[in-house]
Amino acid sequence: MELSLRRIVALAIKEFLSLLRNPASRAVLIGPPIIQLLVFGYGATYDLKHVPFVVYNQDAGRLSRDFIARFAGSPSFELIGNLPDQLALQQAVDSETVLMAVNIGPQFTSDLERGRTAHVQFIFDGRDSNTAALALGYAQSIVTAFNRERLPRNSGVPASTIVLDRAWFNPNLESRWFIVPGIAGILTLLVSMLSTGLSVAREREMGTFDQLLVTPMNPGEILVGKALPGFVVGALEATLIIAVAILWFKVPFTGSFPALYLGLFCFLLSAVGIGLMISALALTQQQGLLGTFLFMVPAIVLSGFATPIANMPKAVQYITLVDPLRYFLIILRASFLEGAGVSLLWPQYWPLATIGIVSMIVAAGLFRGRLG
Amino acid sequence: MSMMRLMGLIRKEAYEIVRDPSSIAIAFILPLALLLIFGYGVSLDARGIPVAVVVDHPTLLTASFVGELRSSRWFRPTNYPGEAPAEKALTDGRAAAIVWLRSDFTRLALSSGRAPIHVIVNGVDANQARIIENYLNGAWLAWLAQRAAGEGIRISAPVVAEARVWFNPAMRSRDYLVPGLIAIIMTLIGALLTALVVAREWERGTMEGIMVTPAGKMELLLGKLIPYFVLGMGGMLFSTIMAVFLFRVPLRGSISVLVACSSLFLLTALGMGLLISILARSQFVAGMVAIVATFLPAFILSGFLFDIHSMPRVVQLLTHVIAARYFVGLLQTIFLAGNVWSIIVSNCLGLAILCLLFLGLAIIRFRKRLD
């Protein structure tokens, strides 16, 4: 197939015009992704802060107050009240006033002073089990710290302590550093897929695609011409988003830009390719939009953005292998936090490029195949 | 308002739905695919975390500690001969953490009783790192108690936290993910179904045809709303059946409350889609806005994945205009806790306000005029 540069440029210009001519569509391409990055960057965090909790303390001693103070003093928890009885505690959890309730028995201080084990009941609201599980972990580490100080020394037991030396790449364990690059990946996928996902479908719906097919342009030229706007818009948008992540959110960028942009190139190839494939399959814009959606939502869920891929069952892990976002998120996070270069990222580049090329070939085949 | 005209418009919209099966796909295939993926695929519970273990000077004591890690279901320890290869494993992602027992470990443990176990974690996923740290602490405490028992001393941790997780005692992640997910799916269905319908008529020019008919504004809007409402409730029914019978999520509240809350939410979501559609006038813009304004906020800001209390105040305020926030709370309570009226009433109130706002704006902005 011979590609004529002149014809491709002509089609690409026409595509750019139809994408950007309308002020409203210009605005939705640029504004919302940046706003979303800002809002979600602040909103999406696994670092618990101010988790409301109540205490029902039946112990009058010093140690129980010290124990509670460790929770109340932690930035993760916020004590919103001492309750007089078990019933009030139950109501506080039932009505979602608190996520955690601590019930300290009357023997707490005396048990500890006599070297016996004191049992403390922690009640969590399991309706939001995700946060409950996180809060449980936080509570447990506070209890562990409390215990560590009270464990008998030199009791003949070879004791030891766990020392967390370092958390590599993210010393303060800020989940924002992990999530903001993830949001950048999602938004890049969204913009590039939407600007291509409807492009062929729109022409089909209006009937102008048949006209395009009878021009001297061959499917390869149509493909490149149609792919270019999504590619360029996606690349510009990604650059803007990455700049906000670095300059506004101060996520450290320790890798190399060539490695990141090579990854972005491969990712856009696959995102635009899949977008074009869906678009070529769709007969109306509605089908194009819904198809884009049916692809994009699972792609985001299975990308490892919010839950680690390693925790998924094996069968689902195999499905994630065809998810371009999976690879791009690794590239983004490795470039931002781990200082990865091109050589370390090869295992991510080639699957993206393969997905891109295969989907583009299928899309070009579908151009003629679905005439009428 | 004429009943006959309204029925005619509903029939016309129903034909559009049947003719282009993509809206039926969104009502049934999207829930099916997403529920299967979430129900089986997504979990924050880590199992078999790969840990690189470096023991500088192996003794019986170090062996017993490594044995404790090995017997834990959370860890999959691998021995590395030194710090450098272990660090390389951490960089490559073959290990998520390094546990390092230095050469003086046994001597310090036996003499001073304070021997450090050095831990290095990969902090990129901060949440995962914190979970690993907690699991390691747990394994260490278990090891300590076991050592003490071996010496004939009963030491147990001074304070034992007995955690009870109400409404979901086994912390089955499916039980809370599935109700939250239904809320997200319904947000998608509601907005996507209607986002395109008015914009499509403008773009295809059929709006002009409708304008010359005697149908009034309310008839036109109801004619758009009712068919998609029926389709959306069908999707809701389908999702609920999957949740209860396939995923065995308990449904502790009453079905009538569930139906009432779902109707209110669906009306809000459809109203929002309709408003987007009326304002946008082009399917591309409507689709883009629908995705940006519904799916991602519902996913990230509804409290489904991320805790709302932990967000900055400004973002917390913003979550109040996100309909999915109320529906996530409602569904989690209705499925897992039962009819807790204080929660149901306050969330329904929030939904009702948003519903009136969206539908009211849609009525105001929808004009039978060419401009």
Side-chain angles (χ1 to χ4, degrees), chain A residues 36 49 117-122 124 126 130 134 138 147 160-161 163 165 168 205 285-287 293 312-313, chain B residues 20 40 44 115 117-119 121 123 127 130 156 158-159 162 164 166 188 200 203 283 291-292 305 310:
Chain A
Q36 297 219 309
K49 289 183 194 103
T117 297
H119 292 263
V120 178
Q121 193 184 48
F122 284 83
F124 293 91
N130 197 10
L134 292 177
Y138 277 73
N147 280 344
S160 58
T161 47
V163 181
D165 271 356
W168 272 15
E205 193 172 316
Q285 290 190 71
Q286 181 176 346
Q287 287 177 359
F293 228 83
M312 299 172 187
Chain B
D20 185 345
Y40 290 118
L44 283 166
I117 298 167
H118 294 272
V119 173
V121 294
N127 187 41
R130 222 175 264 125
S156 37
V159 175
E162 292 170 354
R164 306 229 176 117
W166 281 4
L188 283 181
R200 186 173 55 201
E203 213 167 83
Q283 294 189 68
I291 289 175
V292 161
L305 275 177
S310 302

Side-chain angles (χ1 to χ4, degrees), chain A residues 14 21 77 91 102 113 118 149 166 180 190 289 312 357:
Chain A
K14 178 228 139 210
R21 194 186 38 193
F77 294 100
Q91 280 164 354
V102 186
E113 278 171 349
E149 290 170 26
R166 271 169 295 165
V180 166
L190 194 134
L289 188 72
M312 299 172 187
I357 291 167

